Amino acid sequence: MMKLLYVMLLFLLIACEENRFTCTPPELSKDTLSFSTQGGIDRVSVSNSFWWLTSYGFTKNGCDEIYDSDTDYCVNNYCSHRGEIIKAKCSWFELQKTDAYTITVSVNPNETNQERHFRVFMQAGNCGTSFTITQSAK
């Protein structure tokens, strides 16, 4: 058992070696989009064009329509890489990659007494970043 613990510790030290794996995620113009109960539209700008939205969380949070570049959606809208999430329609919000540097978020009015939260995850190579959508309760 102790040998296994030492081996795991050795791997952890090697993986954490300074500059062994450099990762610089893209910078976001905002880390939180805050909406009132009325909802609205806001945007997040991304510092470079090498990023994509990840599917993490969408299917578990009432997001029943997720468009990627394999769909007809791309015929009339911005799409870049095959298989990349371009748009998600969720129970209380929609988000869309509107160009290589922008995500547009549209939030419906909140008729509930619950504050809403959703974290959007993005990937850029081996790096990840995220921003949060929040909405006030009624």
Side-chain angles (χ1 to χ4, degrees), residues 36-37 92 109-117 134-138:
S36 69
T37 58
W92 58 277
N110 189 352
E111 302 290 329
T112 72
N113 293 322
Q114 299 289 321
E115 187 172 86
R116 297 171 169 170
H117 302 273
T134 63
Q135 185 179 29
S136 301
K138 180 169 112 174

PDB file of all heavy atoms in Angstrom, residues 36-37 92 109-117 134-138:
ATOM      1  N   SER A  36     -31.362  40.709 -14.708  1.00  0.00           N
ATOM      2  CA  SER A  36     -32.479  40.966 -13.802  1.00  0.00           C
ATOM      3  C   SER A  36     -33.569  39.948 -14.072  1.00  0.00           C
ATOM      4  O   SER A  36     -33.462  39.119 -14.979  1.00  0.00           O
ATOM      5  CB  SER A  36     -33.013  42.387 -14.039  1.00  0.00           C
ATOM      6  OG  SER A  36     -33.647  42.453 -15.309  1.00  0.00           O
ATOM      7  N   THR A  37     -34.665  40.040 -13.349  1.00  0.00           N
ATOM      8  CA  THR A  37     -35.773  39.118 -13.551  1.00  0.00           C
ATOM      9  C   THR A  37     -36.389  39.261 -14.944  1.00  0.00           C
ATOM     10  O   THR A  37     -36.987  38.321 -15.452  1.00  0.00           O
ATOM     11  CB  THR A  37     -36.883  39.336 -12.504  1.00  0.00           C
ATOM     12  OG1 THR A  37     -37.334  40.693 -12.590  1.00  0.00           O
ATOM     13  CG2 THR A  37     -36.388  39.052 -11.115  1.00  0.00           C
ATOM     14  N   TRP A  92     -34.240  28.269 -19.774  1.00  0.00           N
ATOM     15  CA  TRP A  92     -34.388  29.682 -19.438  1.00  0.00           C
ATOM     16  C   TRP A  92     -33.409  30.599 -20.161  1.00  0.00           C
ATOM     17  O   TRP A  92     -33.470  31.822 -19.992  1.00  0.00           O
ATOM     18  CB  TRP A  92     -34.309  29.890 -17.936  1.00  0.00           C
ATOM     19  CG  TRP A  92     -33.039  29.421 -17.275  1.00  0.00           C
ATOM     20  CD1 TRP A  92     -32.730  28.163 -16.880  1.00  0.00           C
ATOM     21  CD2 TRP A  92     -31.913  30.228 -16.921  1.00  0.00           C
ATOM     22  NE1 TRP A  92     -31.482  28.121 -16.309  1.00  0.00           N
ATOM     23  CE2 TRP A  92     -30.955  29.379 -16.312  1.00  0.00           C
ATOM     24  CE3 TRP A  92     -31.608  31.583 -17.048  1.00  0.00           C
ATOM     25  CZ2 TRP A  92     -29.734  29.832 -15.842  1.00  0.00           C
ATOM     26  CZ3 TRP A  92     -30.382  32.044 -16.571  1.00  0.00           C
ATOM     27  CH2 TRP A  92     -29.468  31.175 -15.975  1.00  0.00           C
ATOM     28  N   PRO A 109     -37.400  35.975 -19.195  1.00  0.00           N
ATOM     29  CA  PRO A 109     -37.832  36.484 -17.885  1.00  0.00           C
ATOM     30  C   PRO A 109     -37.915  35.350 -16.861  1.00  0.00           C
ATOM     31  O   PRO A 109     -38.254  34.214 -17.203  1.00  0.00           O
ATOM     32  CB  PRO A 109     -39.226  37.056 -18.180  1.00  0.00           C
ATOM     33  CG  PRO A 109     -39.203  37.394 -19.637  1.00  0.00           C
ATOM     34  CD  PRO A 109     -38.352  36.328 -20.263  1.00  0.00           C
ATOM     35  N   ASN A 110     -37.608  35.683 -15.624  1.00  0.00           N
ATOM     36  CA  ASN A 110     -37.653  34.700 -14.541  1.00  0.00           C
ATOM     37  C   ASN A 110     -38.970  34.856 -13.787  1.00  0.00           C
ATOM     38  O   ASN A 110     -39.165  35.831 -13.077  1.00  0.00           O
ATOM     39  CB  ASN A 110     -36.467  34.890 -13.592  1.00  0.00           C
ATOM     40  CG  ASN A 110     -36.357  33.767 -12.592  1.00  0.00           C
ATOM     41  OD1 ASN A 110     -37.221  32.914 -12.480  1.00  0.00           O
ATOM     42  ND2 ASN A 110     -35.260  33.770 -11.842  1.00  0.00           N
ATOM     43  N   GLU A 111     -39.862  33.899 -13.928  1.00  0.00           N
ATOM     44  CA  GLU A 111     -41.164  33.919 -13.264  1.00  0.00           C
ATOM     45  C   GLU A 111     -41.141  33.122 -11.964  1.00  0.00           C
ATOM     46  O   GLU A 111     -42.187  32.902 -11.359  1.00  0.00           O
ATOM     47  CB  GLU A 111     -42.232  33.344 -14.205  1.00  0.00           C
ATOM     48  CG  GLU A 111     -42.349  34.073 -15.536  1.00  0.00           C
ATOM     49  CD  GLU A 111     -42.952  35.461 -15.402  1.00  0.00           C
ATOM     50  OE1 GLU A 111     -43.777  35.666 -14.491  1.00  0.00           O
ATOM     51  OE2 GLU A 111     -42.572  36.342 -16.199  1.00  0.00           O
ATOM     52  N   THR A 112     -39.961  32.683 -11.548  1.00  0.00           N
ATOM     53  CA  THR A 112     -39.853  31.851 -10.343  1.00  0.00           C
ATOM     54  C   THR A 112     -39.296  32.668  -9.183  1.00  0.00           C
ATOM     55  O   THR A 112     -38.815  33.784  -9.360  1.00  0.00           O
ATOM     56  CB  THR A 112     -38.922  30.644 -10.585  1.00  0.00           C
ATOM     57  OG1 THR A 112     -37.567  31.109 -10.651  1.00  0.00           O
ATOM     58  CG2 THR A 112     -39.281  29.913 -11.867  1.00  0.00           C
ATOM     59  N   ASN A 113     -39.343  32.079  -8.026  1.00  0.00           N
ATOM     60  CA  ASN A 113     -38.765  32.709  -6.831  1.00  0.00           C
ATOM     61  C   ASN A 113     -37.350  32.217  -6.576  1.00  0.00           C
ATOM     62  O   ASN A 113     -36.820  32.403  -5.484  1.00  0.00           O
ATOM     63  CB  ASN A 113     -39.648  32.424  -5.610  1.00  0.00           C
ATOM     64  CG  ASN A 113     -40.989  33.112  -5.722  1.00  0.00           C
ATOM     65  OD1 ASN A 113     -41.075  34.237  -6.201  1.00  0.00           O
ATOM     66  ND2 ASN A 113     -42.045  32.441  -5.299  1.00  0.00           N
ATOM     67  N   GLN A 114     -36.748  31.593  -7.566  1.00  0.00           N
ATOM     68  CA  GLN A 114     -35.405  31.037  -7.443  1.00  0.00           C
ATOM     69  C   GLN A 114     -34.418  31.815  -8.306  1.00  0.00           C
ATOM     70  O   GLN A 114     -34.694  32.073  -9.483  1.00  0.00           O
ATOM     71  CB  GLN A 114     -35.394  29.574  -7.893  1.00  0.00           C
ATOM     72  CG  GLN A 114     -36.284  28.659  -7.098  1.00  0.00           C
ATOM     73  CD  GLN A 114     -35.751  28.417  -5.702  1.00  0.00           C
ATOM     74  OE1 GLN A 114     -34.550  28.285  -5.513  1.00  0.00           O
ATOM     75  NE2 GLN A 114     -36.637  28.383  -4.733  1.00  0.00           N
ATOM     76  N   GLU A 115     -33.264  32.162  -7.735  1.00  0.00           N
ATOM     77  CA  GLU A 115     -32.194  32.729  -8.546  1.00  0.00           C
ATOM     78  C   GLU A 115     -31.652  31.613  -9.436  1.00  0.00           C
ATOM     79  O   GLU A 115     -31.607  30.455  -9.032  1.00  0.00           O
ATOM     80  CB  GLU A 115     -31.088  33.275  -7.638  1.00  0.00           C
ATOM     81  CG  GLU A 115     -30.029  34.018  -8.404  1.00  0.00           C
ATOM     82  CD  GLU A 115     -29.039  34.714  -7.480  1.00  0.00           C
ATOM     83  OE1 GLU A 115     -28.076  34.044  -7.075  1.00  0.00           O
ATOM     84  OE2 GLU A 115     -29.257  35.889  -7.184  1.00  0.00           O
ATOM     85  N   ARG A 116     -31.270  31.987 -10.654  1.00  0.00           N
ATOM     86  CA  ARG A 116     -30.783  30.984 -11.600  1.00  0.00           C
ATOM     87  C   ARG A 116     -29.286  31.153 -11.830  1.00  0.00           C
ATOM     88  O   ARG A 116     -28.781  32.272 -11.854  1.00  0.00           O
ATOM     89  CB  ARG A 116     -31.514  31.128 -12.933  1.00  0.00           C
ATOM     90  CG  ARG A 116     -32.994  30.873 -12.845  1.00  0.00           C
ATOM     91  CD  ARG A 116     -33.659  31.254 -14.142  1.00  0.00           C
ATOM     92  NE  ARG A 116     -35.025  30.788 -14.207  1.00  0.00           N
ATOM     93  CZ  ARG A 116     -35.879  31.146 -15.149  1.00  0.00           C
ATOM     94  NH1 ARG A 116     -35.508  31.970 -16.116  1.00  0.00           N
ATOM     95  NH2 ARG A 116     -37.101  30.673 -15.148  1.00  0.00           N
ATOM     96  N   HIS A 117     -28.611  30.019 -12.053  1.00  0.00           N
ATOM     97  CA  HIS A 117     -27.170  30.012 -12.322  1.00  0.00           C
ATOM     98  C   HIS A 117     -26.865  28.938 -13.354  1.00  0.00           C
ATOM     99  O   HIS A 117     -27.459  27.868 -13.326  1.00  0.00           O
ATOM    100  CB  HIS A 117     -26.366  29.668 -11.061  1.00  0.00           C
ATOM    101  CG  HIS A 117     -26.602  30.581  -9.921  1.00  0.00           C
ATOM    102  ND1 HIS A 117     -25.902  31.743  -9.758  1.00  0.00           N
ATOM    103  CD2 HIS A 117     -27.477  30.513  -8.892  1.00  0.00           C
ATOM    104  CE1 HIS A 117     -26.326  32.349  -8.666  1.00  0.00           C
ATOM    105  NE2 HIS A 117     -27.282  31.622  -8.121  1.00  0.00           N
ATOM    106  N   THR A 134     -26.064  34.363 -14.456  1.00  0.00           N
ATOM    107  CA  THR A 134     -26.917  34.420 -13.276  1.00  0.00           C
ATOM    108  C   THR A 134     -28.144  35.283 -13.572  1.00  0.00           C
ATOM    109  O   THR A 134     -28.075  36.209 -14.393  1.00  0.00           O
ATOM    110  CB  THR A 134     -26.182  34.996 -12.039  1.00  0.00           C
ATOM    111  OG1 THR A 134     -25.813  36.342 -12.306  1.00  0.00           O
ATOM    112  CG2 THR A 134     -24.954  34.189 -11.700  1.00  0.00           C
ATOM    113  N   GLN A 135     -29.235  34.976 -12.911  1.00  0.00           N
ATOM    114  CA  GLN A 135     -30.444  35.773 -13.067  1.00  0.00           C
ATOM    115  C   GLN A 135     -31.143  35.884 -11.715  1.00  0.00           C
ATOM    116  O   GLN A 135     -31.298  34.887 -11.003  1.00  0.00           O
ATOM    117  CB  GLN A 135     -31.388  35.149 -14.091  1.00  0.00           C
ATOM    118  CG  GLN A 135     -32.596  36.021 -14.365  1.00  0.00           C
ATOM    119  CD  GLN A 135     -33.532  35.445 -15.400  1.00  0.00           C
ATOM    120  OE1 GLN A 135     -33.619  34.230 -15.557  1.00  0.00           O
ATOM    121  NE2 GLN A 135     -34.232  36.315 -16.117  1.00  0.00           N
ATOM    122  N   SER A 136     -31.595  37.087 -11.401  1.00  0.00           N
ATOM    123  CA  SER A 136     -32.288  37.345 -10.147  1.00  0.00           C
ATOM    124  C   SER A 136     -33.638  36.631 -10.108  1.00  0.00           C
ATOM    125  O   SER A 136     -34.258  36.388 -11.138  1.00  0.00           O
ATOM    126  CB  SER A 136     -32.540  38.854  -9.988  1.00  0.00           C
ATOM    127  OG  SER A 136     -31.336  39.560 -10.014  1.00  0.00           O
ATOM    128  N   ALA A 137     -34.074  36.331  -8.891  1.00  0.00           N
ATOM    129  CA  ALA A 137     -35.384  35.718  -8.687  1.00  0.00           C
ATOM    130  C   ALA A 137     -36.475  36.766  -8.845  1.00  0.00           C
ATOM    131  O   ALA A 137     -36.231  37.973  -8.751  1.00  0.00           O
ATOM    132  CB  ALA A 137     -35.447  35.093  -7.306  1.00  0.00           C
ATOM    133  N   LYS A 138     -37.719  36.306  -9.040  1.00  0.00           N
ATOM    134  CA  LYS A 138     -38.873  37.186  -9.172  1.00  0.00           C
ATOM    135  C   LYS A 138     -39.111  37.951  -7.900  1.00  0.00           C
ATOM    136  O   LYS A 138     -38.911  37.514  -6.815  1.00  0.00           O
ATOM    137  CB  LYS A 138     -40.091  36.335  -9.551  1.00  0.00           C
ATOM    138  CG  LYS A 138     -41.368  37.125  -9.723  1.00  0.00           C
ATOM    139  CD  LYS A 138     -42.409  36.240 -10.342  1.00  0.00           C
ATOM    140  CE  LYS A 138     -43.496  35.976  -9.321  1.00  0.00           C
ATOM    141  NZ  LYS A 138     -44.614  35.244  -9.859  1.00  0.00           N
TER     142      LYS A 138
END
